[in-house]
Amino acid sequence: MTFASIGAIIYKQYSTKHIGYKMENVAIRTVSPNRAKKSITRAFTKNRPIFLWGPPGIGKSDIIHQIGNSMDALVIDIRLSLWEPTDIKGIPYYAANDNKMVWAAPAELPTQELASKYKNIILFLDEMNSAAPAVQAAAYQLILNRKVGQYELPDNVLIVAAGNREADKGVTYRMPAPLANRFVHLEMTHNFDDWFQWAVNNNINKDVVGYLTFSKKDLYDFDPKSPNRSFATPRSWSFVSDLLDDDDDPEITTDLVSGAIGEGLAVKFMAHRKVAASMPNPSDILVGKVKELKNKEISAMYSLTVSLCYELKEASDANDKKFDDKVNNFLRFSMDNFETELVVMGIKLALTQYGLPIDPDEVPCFDEFNDRYGKYIRAAQSV
């Protein structure tokens, strides 16, 4: 075996284990949504343009707006796929006072007056590689020189672009190499823990969170080779959350859920939801009315655990005086009815994702809980 062949084997093993995936014999490193936010924020401090790649529905646009909110920056969202080349440079007109032809810059691009009102402005060029090559060529000067024609970007404007990959079978054009070389490129992939944190902060329906906590692989099932029009993505699951209504006809709900994530997943999710609805009311568990769980269907127990954490979060936010008692009933019920894996998951969700202020000194059964499960919880936190 030659050194070249040995090197190829090592490279293949390394790229499979440490880098996202390989496409056309090129190693592609991927980042989770939270890592993408941190990377983009750091690049902004150096005023380096970023291009965020990723498949449809993964949350690229939402990530940029989250960064804008965290920086208290104005986000100007421009869909370049809808622009013409002249939309970037503007329209020429005759200035009679100067006897010259000048250019009227597009209103979407920030003026110095607008920029003076903000510490930063994020110019978000979305769907950039879906724009026609002539539009990308026009954007080249704006990104390279921070000006186009007579227009100049204010100093506090930060540039970020996003688009789908060519392998996603969307409407895309290959980006010219000189333009691509002006960007720092990141490719985002889905990550359940990051999505869960987002779901908690955005009040995603507890049935959706409970189901996906049990079946994490169903968070994202996009296959560019599939003819299906509907598929599961973080975006389409948020549609499902909005469409759920306990008072609605279940057939109508199934139709809508199927239209969002596909028929196969819709059937699985609705079956889970039906079983989860037969579980005890989380409020009754937390006040101590229900102490025993008769239904041991595993996906429903995952959903119940999430629902209990939801209820505890609401009690914490409302400064409920019985919060400590409810935590005690939560731990007691978990110890008496759940397997170790589910107990550990429940307390981990409560502490890390929901950030519940649990005080061990105020929870009577905490010492017993720690004796039985402390080592598992510490092991789970170290992973």
Side-chain angles (χ1 to χ4, degrees):
M1 183 177 291
T2 66
F3 283 111
S5 59
I6 294 173
I9 293 173
I10 294 174
Y11 173 76
K12 182 177 180 181
Q13 292 174 341
Y14 177 85
S15 61
T16 302
K17 182 177 181 181
H18 298 282
I19 304 177
Y21 62 90
K22 291 180 68 180
M23 181 177 65
E24 298 178 351
N25 296 322
V26 177
I28 304 295
R29 184 183 184 89
T30 58
V31 296
S32 68
N34 283 347
R35 279 176 53 199
K37 283 192 286 187
K38 292 177 181 178
S39 298
I40 293 170
T41 301
R42 182 190 293 186
F44 278 168
T45 64
K46 306 299 183 181
N47 205 12
R48 294 297 180 192
I50 286 281
F51 198 107
L52 185 61
W53 299 85
I58 205 168
K60 298 184 294 295
S61 300
D62 192 60
I63 286 290
I64 304 305
H65 286 277
Q66 289 179 41
I67 293 172
N69 291 335
S70 67
M71 296 175 59
D72 197 24
L74 173 65
V75 178
I76 298 177
D77 192 332
I78 295 177
R79 304 294 168 117
L80 277 188
S81 57
L82 304 178
W83 280 37
E84 297 291 337
T86 53
D87 293 337
I88 296 178
K89 189 173 182 180
I91 298 176
Y93 67 94
Y94 175 65
N97 293 337
D98 299 328
N99 195 31
K100 292 181 178 180
M101 186 69 74
V102 294
W103 291 83
E108 289 87 347
L109 295 179
T111 62
Q112 291 289 348
E113 181 182 0
L114 178 65
S116 66
K117 299 177 181 178
Y118 298 90
K119 182 178 180 181
N120 289 114
I121 292 178
I122 297 175
L123 184 61
F124 179 31
L125 307 176
D126 202 3
E127 302 175 359
M128 184 171 184
N129 62 327
S130 295
V135 178
Q136 293 189 42
Y140 176 84
Q141 187 180 1
L142 184 66
I143 296 162
L144 174 62
N145 299 323
R146 295 182 62 84
K147 67 178 183 180
V148 58
Q150 294 171 312
Y151 170 81
E152 284 193 44
L153 281 175
D155 291 339
N156 63 336
V157 174
L158 307 166
I159 298 176
V160 61
N164 293 333
R165 307 163 303 180
E166 294 179 22
D168 295 325
K169 304 302 182 182
V171 178
T172 60
Y173 299 91
R174 185 176 293 274
M175 184 180 294
L179 177 58
N181 195 236
R182 297 300 169 182
F183 284 107
V184 175
H185 297 267
L186 295 174
E187 181 155 328
M188 196 169 82
T189 187
H190 64 283
N191 177 278
F192 175 79
D193 290 336
D194 288 2
W195 176 86
F196 188 98
Q197 183 178 346
W198 174 88
V200 169
N201 294 335
N202 288 272
N203 297 315
I204 296 299
N205 186 281
K206 62 184 180 182
D207 287 340
V208 171
V209 177
Y211 173 77
L212 291 177
T213 302
F214 166 71
S215 187
K216 297 180 177 64
K217 63 181 177 59
D218 290 339
L219 174 63
Y220 195 88
D221 74 345
F222 171 63
D223 180 1
K225 298 179 182 178
S226 172
N228 293 336
R229 294 186 294 268
S230 303
F231 47 88
T233 67
R235 177 168 59 200
S236 58
W237 277 112
S238 70
F239 296 166
V240 172
S241 175
D242 293 338
L243 293 168
L244 294 179
D245 190 338
D246 291 334
D247 298 328
D248 247 346
D249 183 335
E251 287 297 318
I252 294 176
T253 302
T254 302
D255 292 341
L256 293 171
V257 173
S258 178
I261 60 174
E263 184 176 1
L265 277 183
V267 170
K268 288 172 58 181
F269 172 72
M270 293 302 291
H272 157 84
R273 195 167 183 241
K274 183 177 181 179
V275 175
S278 68
M279 301 296 275
N281 188 316
S283 298
D284 291 340
I285 294 174
L286 294 181
V287 298
K289 288 184 180 180
V290 175
K291 301 179 183 297
E292 183 181 358
L293 182 65
K294 297 180 180 179
N295 186 342
K296 298 292 186 178
E297 206 282 326
I298 184 64
S299 74
M301 289 195 290
Y302 270 81
S303 190
L304 178 60
T305 302
V306 171
S307 297
L308 288 168
C309 290
Y310 260 67
E311 295 277 346
L312 285 175
K313 181 69 164 58
E314 290 181 356
S316 175
D317 292 343
N319 294 317
D320 189 338
K321 294 182 179 179
K322 294 187 177 295
F323 174 73
D324 293 327
D325 293 335
K326 291 182 176 182
V327 171
N328 189 72
N329 290 329
F330 167 61
L331 297 182
R332 182 78 269 165
F333 183 86
S334 298
M335 288 190 289
D336 293 343
N337 294 280
F338 295 155
E339 297 294 331
T340 298
E341 179 183 355
L342 202 53
V343 176
V344 173
M345 187 202 81
I347 192 62
K348 189 177 180 181
L349 291 182
L351 293 174
T352 59
Q353 302 288 8
Y354 290 87
L356 298 180
I358 296 177
D359 184 351
D361 295 332
E362 300 297 328
V363 180
C365 75
F366 190 86
D367 286 341
E368 178 188 351
F369 181 85
N370 185 55
D371 288 342
R372 290 174 61 178
Y373 302 101
K375 62 181 180 180
Y376 302 111
I377 296 169
R378 288 187 288 273
Q381 289 176 330
S382 65
V383 175

